[in-house]
Amino acid sequence: MMNFTPKQSPLILGIESSCDETAAAVIRGRELLSDEIASSAATQAKFGGVVPEIASRAHAEAVDEVVARALRNAGVKKEELDAVAVTYGAGLLGALLVGLSFAKGFSYGLGIPLIGVDHIRGHLAAAYLEDASLEPPFLTLLASGGHTAILYTERADAFRVLGGTLDDAVGEAFDKVARVLSLPYPGGPHVEALAREGRAVVPMPKMLKSRGGYDFSYSGLKTAVINYVHTKEQKGEAWSRADVAASFQSAALDILVQKTVEGARETGAKMVTAGGGVVANGYLRERLAAVCKETGLRLVLPAKKHCTDNAAMIAAEGLVQYRLGRFSPLTINAEASIPLVRG
Ligand code: AMP
Ligand code: MG
């Protein structure tokens, strides 16, 4: 194994390739030096979703250049790096393998530690980049295309899930509703834009399941939107796409805001963070800010570009693991799914 002397502010290269973005970023401690991204989203949009084979090929074509750009824009030579952090899961296997293999080559060639990062922990770590003084304990709202959960991070290496979705993730619900409203993929930003022109006047079902105080279900909400639209069309009645978007958006997001604040009250956390693609939503950001202000909670929201997939958050989680001295063997494999909390 390599000689390892931990540094206070290590230079860490982060690489992310779990879905359709090839991303690389360099941090020094919590300072972000560069943040690069190449996306195959435009190609994927033609298919209404992510085609794994297209994603893998696009990563293979882009990864070299994106990493080179990240180093160049950071003003860093690869020999100066202290560690390389890379997403090893969850995600599309072929896509993950491109970034992971590339990172292994870097780690082996330079004799620096490899840090395999769980993508979801990356979303949680994005807030660290926003506020250099942020430390646990804090409560996090995780809202992405694959996950919706409220988590309590007690220490850097320990978090627990208070509750979450029992079926669809909130981002998935946004994407499905976007389809019903004939909006392009990925639907979240388009639903948000349309909702701005409408009013939340269409009745929506309750989201909360009684099993646990924090468990929600998005499949009923999605079905209600589909039924509403189909019924209106069948009867030939006029209906407003913008009102449906606004009604869905507030039903889907208000519950998350409410439960986040309740989670903070229950755990006694004074600080709230958030992560995941849906946290790029302006309505959600405004509601969280307003409610945290009213209840005296400190809110640290990652920049919008660090809510959707990016490599800066992977480097940030890499720093957490680096400080804990947790490194990965070169034999680490890509994983299509990783449980939210490993038991
Ligand atoms: P992630 O799984 O974290 O990569 O996030 C992707 C998900 O975030 C997709 O389901 C998107 O539709 C959703 N998303 C991105 N931007 C927004 C937005 N502005 N409003 C709502 N959802 C969004
Ligand atoms: Mg993601």
Side-chain angles (χ1 to χ4, degrees), residues 16 18-19 90 119-120 123 144-146 276-277 307-310 313:
E16 152 68 34
S18 64
C19 192
H119 182 87
I120 290 304
H123 277 304
S144 75
C307 291
T308 46
D309 290 349
N310 67 89
M313 69 180 195

Side-chain angles (χ1 to χ4, degrees), residues 123 144-146 171-172 174-175 186-189 192 276-278 280-281 307-309:
H123 277 304
S144 75
E172 207 180 336
F174 265 89
D175 294 334
E192 181 186 353
V278 179
N281 183 285
C307 291
T308 46
D309 290 349

